[in-house]
């Protein structure tokens, strides 16, 4: 269920000669995922890497050894280092043994870190005369190489690309320390790091997957930073916010950044599971557990999420009996399928989302306090769209580009945005991001027949009457947001003759949310049930 970003990651490789040749050899394997630029350089104070990054605009930088360490301390862009495994070292030394019995090995080692135990065992393990040189900077590596040449006249050197190049200049045979497999690992890590950075970038490219999280406001930047932090823990995360604010988006990003990212993301709408089916849906059942059960049994949602993330959407809609059963699984991290006689252990990260005030539900006895504290280890509150105008502008432009490409509309998108910009900033957005997305698609589709015609106020009002109904339908003080939302629901119910599916789509909210708001309006006595039930079509 997790979203795969299709936009290519831009990787800037900083290396030298043999390292560049190694990367070039494996680049075709990653052509569909990354755009790789190689700059041959040895990282030092003599090179202005900030201007290099500004020119190539990479999502991530990759290098090796002391180069990678220097760049990581210099640049704000993520830097991925080429790994050197024990296998790489042994294989490189085995090749060197065919050239000479005495080998000089150069490896990068951060300051104040002792050599690994492997180097003490290598001479006996490979039956070679080994001279090991460790270094923390490229300058130090060059000095050690020059001393070795002056004192020992080495016949073969094993080391990083720059050291190999300097040795070859002196007529010494060389073997590159890095392998293709470790280079592949570096590129995989670079691609993942680049994707993560793209996921939280202020404004996403329109060529990327349409389910991206587009943010520009300080409020949402803070949420994004917290999401990355909370992803590092195995503790549960409670995501709170109005419908359409992006709770599922932020859940995907937590999943992407967590240690459970290689496992599945299993999403469950807690408001849509009938009480009598809860156990079989959540915990599954064994063969013959009940009449009509599937032959061979069925894996429940909890088992499907094992090793990944279980996302409980609208968790506040769970009735008390289901809350008890869920609590037990969270406490014990094991469950028993319906009809089964053994318990199955599970390990997953839990993310729960709600648009209700769960604290208020706990106080009124509608939600268990022990379950609430199990869910609320970490808390993320997503602000409504009306509180972050910077995101309104960013997302409007993003979706204009996306739908213009989808519907092949060739028009001036800047003029299109300017035609709705003021109205969009004034609008209270009860449906939040989902509603904005629907509005933008409606605008783009309406322009297909006349892409070159200027979009005026009357046309905007005709295409998006909600914008002006909200403004003119309030009292002198602007009216409360709840009043505006309820007025919009009443108007839409009348417009579509009570067809709730069409009303929900028109308002940019889910049918579950619409049912809940209709019920709340009925319970407050502001409308009678028959007001909304006439001519309702079952969907």
């Amino acid at each position: 269920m997790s979203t795969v970003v299709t936009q290519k990651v831009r990787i800037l490789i900083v290396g030298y000669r043999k390292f560049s040749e190694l990367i070039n050899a494996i680049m075709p394997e990653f052509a569909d995922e990354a755009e790789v630029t190689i700059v041959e350089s040895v990282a030092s104070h003599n090179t202005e890497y900030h201007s290099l990054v500004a020119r190539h605009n990479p999502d991530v930088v990759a290098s090796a050894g002391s180069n990678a360490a220097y760049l990581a301390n210099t640049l704000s862009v993520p830097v991925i280092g080429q790994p050197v495994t024990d296998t790489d070292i042994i294989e490189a030394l085995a090749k060197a043994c065919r050239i000479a019995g005495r080998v000089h090995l150069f490896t990068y080692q951060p300051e104040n870190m002792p050599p690994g135990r492997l180097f003490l065992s290598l001479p006996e393990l490979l039956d070679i005369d080994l001279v090991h040189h460790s270094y923390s900077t490229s300058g130090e590596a060059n000095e050690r190489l020059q001393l070795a040449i002056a004192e020992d006249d080495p016949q073969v050197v094993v080391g990083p690309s720059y050291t190999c190049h300097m040795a070859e200049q002196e007529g010494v045979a060389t073997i590159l320390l890095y392998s293709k497999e470790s280079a592949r690992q570096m590129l995989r890590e670079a691609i993942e790091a680049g994707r993560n950075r793209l996921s939280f970038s202020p404004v996403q490219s329109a060529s990327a997957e349409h389910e991206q999280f587009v943010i520009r406001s300080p409020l949402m930047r803070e949420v994004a930073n917290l999401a990355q932090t909370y992803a590092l823990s195995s503790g549960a995360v409670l995501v709170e916010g109005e419908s359409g604010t992006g709770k599922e988006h932020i859940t995907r990003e937590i999943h992407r950044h967590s240690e459970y990212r290689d496992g599945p993301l299993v999403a469950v709408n807690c408001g849509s599971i009938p009480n009598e089916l809860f156990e079989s849906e959540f915990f599954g059942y064994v063969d013959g557990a009940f009449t009509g059960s599937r032959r061979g049994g069925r894996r429940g949602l909890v088992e499907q999420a094992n090793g990944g993330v279980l996302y409980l959407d609208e968790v506040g809609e769970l009735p008390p009996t289901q809350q008890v059963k869920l609590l037990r699984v969270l406490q014990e991290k094991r469950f028993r399928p319906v009809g089964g006689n053994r318990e199955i252990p599970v390990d997953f990260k839990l993310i729960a989302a709600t648009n209700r005030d769960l604290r208020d539900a706990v106080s009124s006895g509608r939600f268990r306090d022990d379950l609430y504290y199990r869910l609320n280890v970490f808390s993320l509150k997503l602000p409504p769209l009306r509180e972050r105008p910077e995101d309104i502008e960013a997302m409007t432009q993003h979706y204009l580009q996306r739908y213009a490409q989808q519907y092949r509309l060739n028009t001036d998108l800047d003029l299109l945005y300017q035609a709705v910009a003021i109205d969009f900033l004034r609008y209270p957005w009860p449906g939040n991001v989902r509603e904005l997305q629907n509005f933008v698609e409606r605008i783009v589709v309406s322009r297909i027949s006349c892409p070159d015609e200027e979009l005026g106020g009357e046309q905007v009002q005709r295409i998006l009457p909600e914008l002006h109904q909200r403004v003119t339908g309030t009292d002198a003080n602007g009216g409360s947001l709840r009043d505006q939302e309820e007025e919009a629901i009443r108007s839409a119910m009348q417009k579509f003759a009570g067809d709730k599916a069409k009303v929900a789509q028109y308002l940019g909210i889910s049918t579950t949310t619409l049912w809940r708001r209709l019920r709340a309006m009925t319970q407050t006595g502001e409308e009678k049930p028959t007001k909304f039930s006439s001519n309702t079509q079952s969907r």
Side-chain angles (χ1 to χ4, degrees):
M1 292 189 184
S2 57
T3 301
V4 178
V5 179
T6 57
Q7 182 181 6
K8 288 186 179 181
V9 173
R10 297 185 301 274
I11 303 175
L12 175 63
I13 302 287
V14 178
Y16 206 74
R17 301 294 171 87
K18 286 194 173 188
F19 181 64
S20 301
E21 294 170 3
L22 178 65
I23 300 300
N24 270 314
I26 63 172
M27 272 174 52
E29 301 174 25
F30 300 89
D32 294 334
E33 301 174 85
E35 295 175 358
V36 180
T37 302
I38 300 176
V39 174
E40 290 203 350
S41 172
V42 178
S44 70
H45 297 287
N46 298 326
T47 305
E48 180 50 59
Y49 287 98
H50 292 288
S51 61
L52 191 66
V53 167
R55 183 163 70 252
H56 293 284
N57 192 28
D59 301 309
V60 62
V61 174
S63 191
S66 59
N67 267 11
Y70 176 85
L71 294 170
N73 291 325
T74 304
L75 303 176
S76 58
V77 180
V79 176
I80 303 299
Q82 164 92 29
V84 178
T85 66
D86 291 352
T87 302
D88 290 344
I89 296 171
I90 293 172
E91 289 181 348
L93 290 176
K95 293 177 183 177
C97 287
R98 300 171 191 166
I99 301 173
R102 185 173 175 83
V103 179
H104 285 255
L105 171 66
F106 289 77
T107 62
Y108 168 72
Q109 197 139 333
E111 293 181 347
N112 303 322
M113 181 176 290
R117 293 173 56 188
L118 174 68
F119 299 109
L120 302 176
S121 307
L122 283 173
E124 183 177 354
L125 179 67
L126 297 177
D127 192 23
I128 60 173
D129 185 6
L130 179 67
V131 182
H132 179 219
H133 307 273
S134 62
Y135 64 91
S136 58
T137 66
S138 57
E140 185 180 352
N142 190 34
E143 290 176 4
R144 291 183 181 276
L145 174 64
Q146 296 303 323
L147 285 172
I149 292 174
E151 297 175 359
D152 196 46
D153 191 22
Q155 294 179 289
V156 60
V157 164
V158 174
S161 55
Y162 184 66
T163 302
C164 287
H165 172 72
M166 297 303 295
E168 287 172 347
Q169 295 293 95
E170 301 292 337
V172 179
T174 63
I175 300 293
L176 184 67
L177 184 59
Y178 310 127
S179 68
K180 285 186 178 180
E181 188 50 44
S182 59
R184 291 187 182 99
Q185 182 181 338
M186 179 191 69
L187 286 180
R188 292 188 197 103
E189 292 178 5
I191 290 170
E192 182 64 21
R195 285 174 175 169
N196 290 341
R197 190 164 185 258
L198 285 169
S199 299
F200 287 107
S201 62
V203 181
Q204 301 292 348
S205 166
S207 65
E209 183 66 27
H210 67 265
E211 291 295 339
Q212 291 174 333
F213 210 7
V214 182
I215 58 174
R216 183 179 290 172
S217 67
L219 283 173
M220 288 307 297
R221 287 181 190 274
E222 184 178 350
V223 169
N225 290 335
L226 283 174
Q228 292 188 45
T229 301
Y230 295 164
L232 301 178
S233 168
S234 59
V237 181
L238 179 62
V239 184
E240 299 175 286
E242 295 178 5
S243 293
T245 49
K247 295 187 288 294
E248 188 169 347
H249 286 283
I250 207 70
T251 295
R252 291 195 195 100
E253 299 312 321
I254 294 173
H255 174 234
R256 191 194 306 277
H257 285 78
S258 74
E259 62 179 7
Y260 297 91
R261 58 184 170 271
D262 294 329
L265 171 60
V266 178
V268 186
N269 188 323
C270 297
S272 64
I273 300 180
N275 196 46
E276 62 274 13
L277 297 180
F278 177 83
E279 286 191 81
S280 60
E281 289 290 324
F282 258 71
F283 310 130
Y285 52 82
V286 299
D287 190 5
F290 50 85
T291 303
S293 62
R294 179 187 299 176
R295 189 171 182 177
R298 175 180 177 180
R299 295 171 67 232
L301 297 166
V302 170
E303 188 175 1
Q304 292 176 35
N306 191 26
V309 170
L310 179 63
Y311 172 52
L312 302 180
D313 192 17
E314 300 197 37
V315 70
E317 303 303 314
L318 280 175
T321 54
Q322 296 180 5
Q323 293 176 28
V324 175
K325 297 168 185 174
L326 175 62
L327 177 63
R328 183 174 179 273
V329 175
L330 299 182
Q331 288 174 334
E332 302 181 9
K333 284 299 178 78
R334 56 180 58 244
F335 71 96
R336 180 178 297 174
V338 176
N341 55 15
R342 67 181 182 89
E343 290 191 328
I344 300 175
V346 286
D347 177 33
F348 55 80
K349 184 175 180 66
L350 180 71
I351 304 176
T354 181
N355 52 22
R356 295 177 57 180
D357 186 342
L358 284 192
R359 288 187 182 85
D360 181 64
V362 169
S363 300
S364 62
R366 290 178 286 113
F367 200 86
R368 294 181 63 95
D369 57 351
D370 45 5
L371 177 57
Y372 171 74
Y373 293 118
R374 281 279 175 184
L375 300 177
N376 193 30
V377 178
F378 299 103
S379 179
L380 278 176
K381 297 185 184 300
L382 302 191
L385 189 56
R386 59 186 172 275
E387 293 180 5
R388 37 191 177 106
E390 302 94 340
D391 289 342
I392 294 174
E393 177 183 356
M395 284 188 287
T396 301
Q397 293 174 339
H398 171 77
Y399 286 121
L400 280 171
Q401 291 178 2
R402 173 190 157 190
Y403 287 121
Q405 288 181 0
Q406 179 178 329
Y407 292 105
R408 300 179 182 177
L409 176 67
N410 184 18
T411 189
D412 190 327
L413 297 181
D414 288 335
L415 290 178
L416 208 57
Y417 170 72
Q418 293 301 325
V420 298
I422 295 177
D423 287 331
F424 273 27
L425 289 174
R426 290 174 177 172
Y427 188 64
W429 298 108
N432 290 291
V433 179
R434 192 180 297 119
E435 187 179 25
L436 181 144
Q437 184 177 346
N438 292 349
F439 279 14
V440 173
E441 184 174 13
R442 204 187 306 173
I443 291 171
V444 170
V445 171
S446 72
R447 304 301 296 163
I448 293 177
S449 59
C450 47
D452 298 324
E453 183 181 336
E454 185 177 351
L455 186 64
E458 291 185 3
Q459 291 171 302
V460 173
Q461 186 171 355
R462 186 180 69 252
I463 298 167
L464 301 172
E466 300 93 334
L467 294 175
H468 300 277
Q469 289 173 359
R470 293 295 171 86
V471 174
T472 59
T474 57
D475 58 23
N477 296 321
S480 70
L481 178 61
R482 182 179 296 276
D483 291 340
Q484 295 174 27
E485 291 177 352
E486 292 177 356
E487 177 60 34
I489 292 173
R490 281 192 287 268
S491 175
M493 289 293 288
Q494 184 175 0
K495 178 182 180 70
F496 294 103
D499 188 329
K500 295 181 177 63
K502 290 183 178 179
V503 169
Q505 183 179 10
Y506 178 75
L507 293 175
I509 59 178
S510 68
T511 52
T512 305
T513 299
L514 176 63
W515 275 100
R516 185 168 54 252
R517 292 184 180 178
L518 288 173
R519 187 169 63 245
M521 291 166 64
T522 302
Q523 290 172 348
T524 57
E526 296 187 10
E527 296 292 337
K528 295 181 180 180
T530 54
K531 175 82 173 186
F532 304 112
S533 59
S534 60
N535 300 322
T536 300
Q537 300 177 21
S538 176
R539 295 287 172 133

